[in-house]
Every structure is written in C-alpha cells, then in structure tokens.
Amino acid sequence: MKTALVLGAGGFIGGHLVKRLKHEGFWVRGVDLKFNEHAETEADDFLIADLREQDNVRAVIDRRFDEVYQLAADMGGAGYIFTGEHDADIMHNSATINLNVADAAHKRNIKRVFYSSSACMYPAYNQEDPDNPNCAENSAYPAAPDSEYGWEKLFSERLFLAYNRNHGMQNRVARYHNIFGPEGTWTGGKEKAPAAMCRKVAMVRSGDTIDMWGDGLQTRSFLYVDECLEGTTRLLRSDWEGPVNIGSDEMVTLNQLAGMVADIAGKTIHINHIPGPTGVRGRNSDNRLIKEKLGWSPSQTLLKGLEKTYEWIEGQVMRNAA
Ligand code: NAD
C-alpha cells in the first residue's frame, strides 16, 4: 500500500488532500497543531504536533513515505496577513516549519516533498493594474512581494529548490492562487474573500447592505479546492520541479464576486465600501506554463465552485444561529 504524509492536515487544503489520497487508496499520516474544525479527519494516523520543533518533525518523518505534502503554515486572509500585526509570527513560524521539514526529509532520505508557495510572492509592481496583472512564473524577480507572508513563501520555495540542487532531492513547488471551497475558514478573521462574502450574504436579508474592504474594483481569481488538489498531485507525480502557478485564470473584481454570491443566494445586496486591507490591485493566475509542462490546467467555472461553497457556508451560518 502506498503511503503519504500530509503536513498541515488539520487545515483547509490539507483536510481535502487527506480525503483525496484516501480515495486513491493511500495509507495517510496527517500532522497539524489541531484537528480539522469542520470534518472528521480521514487520515489513518493523525498526529498533533508543533512542526516548529525540530524533534517533532523528525518524529513524524520517521520513515520514507511515497508522497510528502508540506502545507503547514501560519496563514490567513487579508485581515491576517496584510495588517502587519502578525508579520513576525508569520515569518518565524512558517520559515521554521519549512527549515525543519526540508532538513528532516533530506536526513530520512525522502527524495520528494511538495511545497505550497503562494501567488503572494509575486512583485507588487506587476500587480498595480487591475485589468492586466502579470503573474507569469518568470516575473518573480526583482522580488517585491507586498507582504511578509509573500517574502517567507519566496524564501521557502528557494529553500526546497536549493535542496534539489545541493542534496539530490526532487522537491516540487507550486504557487497557489486563492483557493476556496467548503470546509474552509469562514469566520474569525483568517477567512478569505470568497468565504467572507458567502458568510456576509448568508447573514443578511434581500435588500440589505454588506461591508466590503476597498472599492471592490481590485481583481482576483479564485480556484476551487478540488482543482487545486488535481494540480497538486499532478505536479508531485510529474518529472518537473516548478515553481508553477496553480490557480484559476477567470479574473473578477471583488464587486463581481459579491454579485455572483448574491445571485446564488437569490438576494439583492447593496455594498458599503469601507477602508480595510486589500492587498495588490490586481492578480490573476497565468496558466501558460502549467499547460505546457503538465498538459493540464484548471477549467471549472468560478460560479460552480461558489455554488458549492455558498451552500456549505449558509449551512454553517444557519447552524450557528440555531
Ligand atoms: P490553513 O491555515 O487552513 O492550513 C494550514 C495548517 O497548518 C493549519 O491547520 C495550521 O494549524 C497548520 N499549522 C500552522 N502552524 C503549524 C505548526 N507550527 N505545526 C503544525 N501545523 C501547523 O491553510 P490552507 O488554506 O489549507 O493552506 C495550506 C497551504 O497552502 C499553506 O502553506 C498556505 O500558505 C498555502 N496557500 C494557500 C492559499 C489559499 O488560498 N488557501 C493560497 C496560497 C498558498
């Protein structure tokens, strides 16, 4: 039986990845600081461990696994990573985890680790025009991410690729762009735009007003979690190291995103634009490289993913209200 290790298995993408790997027939070990909040884990073995501690990381990487996914990170939506209040924690926690994981995997003679970097590592100067952002993989330098979260991601993707060059590893690096779906954080300050929008719309009546940070003209693309996992497993199993974007290239404004959610809910919603952290002005996944190298790219519409996500978040809102 093939074995897999998912670090960050108690998180949103990690939880979905465990399910997928189980479905594919793997024996799966999951590791996290916490269990999944929204669903029982399907991992065969789930260890609660702080991956900032080197001894813990050596203990969980106690054998060779067929597939290793490193998703653990201190992260959140704009309300967490763009306010500046958590910068030191974000950099220290995530960099320490990645240093420990790369080292422990190498010492255990594990050849290949998947690492989830982020589109937040792209230079802010290429993302000022909301209609025409440049997030091609080769546009990363000169580096100028707009958040410390992005700088840490850039450091860590370089770290995993340095192990490839110096220690004969075959690590794989993806740059995720705004992943969303059911069973993700939808409240509490670490949620991202699609979940926040679904929650706000679910909580009001038709004709009511919701708040939105910024003027809503900033653009983004959002990738449904199942397609993220498809790209993730395809990259890990391919003979190419990346870095590569795993994201949707269906770019919308935040106002359009809110409109889509309101339509799904069947509500008329007014938007009150308020000051708040918004990140870069425009961002979209450039999928030319993934198509060329993996012969695949995400194709599901944003609307389809939003329908599933809204249904789940509406259920959470109703359960909380009951
Ligand atoms: P998440 O926050 O839901 O999952 C990350 C998990 O890491 C959490 O469960 C957290 O408890 C765990 N973790 C944090 N510190 C830890 C520690 N010291 N020891 C053990 N576990 C620890 O985030 P996610 O959305 O599932 O993202 C997974 C990965 O993908 C992260 O590396 C993230 O930076 C990256 N990424 C995500 C997105 C996105 O839109 N979701 C976009 C770009 C990159």
Side-chain angles (χ1 to χ4, degrees), residues 33 49-54 57 70-75 80 85-101 115 148-149 152-153 155-156 159-160 190:
L33 283 174
D50 187 339
L51 297 170
R52 288 170 299 186
E53 301 296 330
Q54 200 172 38
V57 179
Q70 176 4 37
L71 307 177
D74 190 3
M75 69 99 70
Y80 188 72
E85 287 163 30
H86 312 282
D87 286 350
D89 280 349
I90 288 170
M91 296 187 92
H92 173 266
N93 294 342
S94 296
T96 308
I97 294 169
N98 288 317
L99 287 162
N100 287 341
V101 170
Y115 173 60
E148 302 300 1
Y149 170 78
E152 189 282 327
K153 286 293 186 192
F155 164 78
S156 290
L159 173 77
F160 281 100
K190 279 193 163 189

Side-chain angles (χ1 to χ4, degrees), residues 269-294:
I269 299 293
H270 305 288
I271 299 175
N272 178 33
H273 296 282
I274 58 169
T278 54
V280 293
R281 204 60 192 138
R283 176 172 291 154
N284 192 15
S285 183
D286 184 323
N287 287 349
R288 286 172 296 177
L289 192 62
I290 195 168
K291 274 183 205 152
E292 181 195 321
K293 297 289 187 180
L294 300 185

Side-chain angles (χ1 to χ4, degrees), residues 8 10-14 31-34 49-52 70-75 97 116-119 149 153 176-179 185 192:
F12 163 53
I13 301 171
V31 185
D32 204 296
L33 283 174
K34 58 168 180 68
D50 187 339
L51 297 170
R52 288 170 299 186
Q70 176 4 37
L71 307 177
D74 190 3
M75 69 99 70
I97 294 169
S116 52
S117 180
S118 163
Y149 170 78
K153 286 293 186 192
Y176 287 166
H177 290 241
N178 288 317
I179 315 302
T185 306
K192 311 267 186 55

Side-chain angles (χ1 to χ4, degrees), residues 167-212:
H167 295 310
M169 291 182 78
Q170 300 158 8
N171 297 321
R172 302 287 182 253
V173 175
R175 294 171 178 162
Y176 287 166
H177 290 241
N178 288 317
I179 315 302
F180 76 102
E183 296 173 15
T185 306
W186 60 278
T187 187
K190 279 193 163 189
E191 67 278 15
K192 311 267 186 55
M197 216 68 84
C198 289
R199 183 197 70 233
K200 289 177 186 186
V201 170
M203 289 179 74
V204 298
R205 291 205 202 106
S206 192
D208 283 355
T209 300
I210 61 168
D211 287 340
M212 183 193 287

Side-chain angles (χ1 to χ4, degrees), residues 4 12 20 28 46 67 88 107 109-110 116 152 154 160 169 233 244 250 255 268 277 294 304:
F12 163 53
R20 181 183 169 120
V28 182
F46 195 103
E67 299 192 352
K107 290 196 169 127
N109 203 19
I110 287 172
S116 52
E152 189 282 327
L154 192 57
F160 281 100
M169 291 182 78
T233 50
V244 66
E250 183 184 343
N255 286 332
T268 305
L294 300 185
K304 201 166 165 204

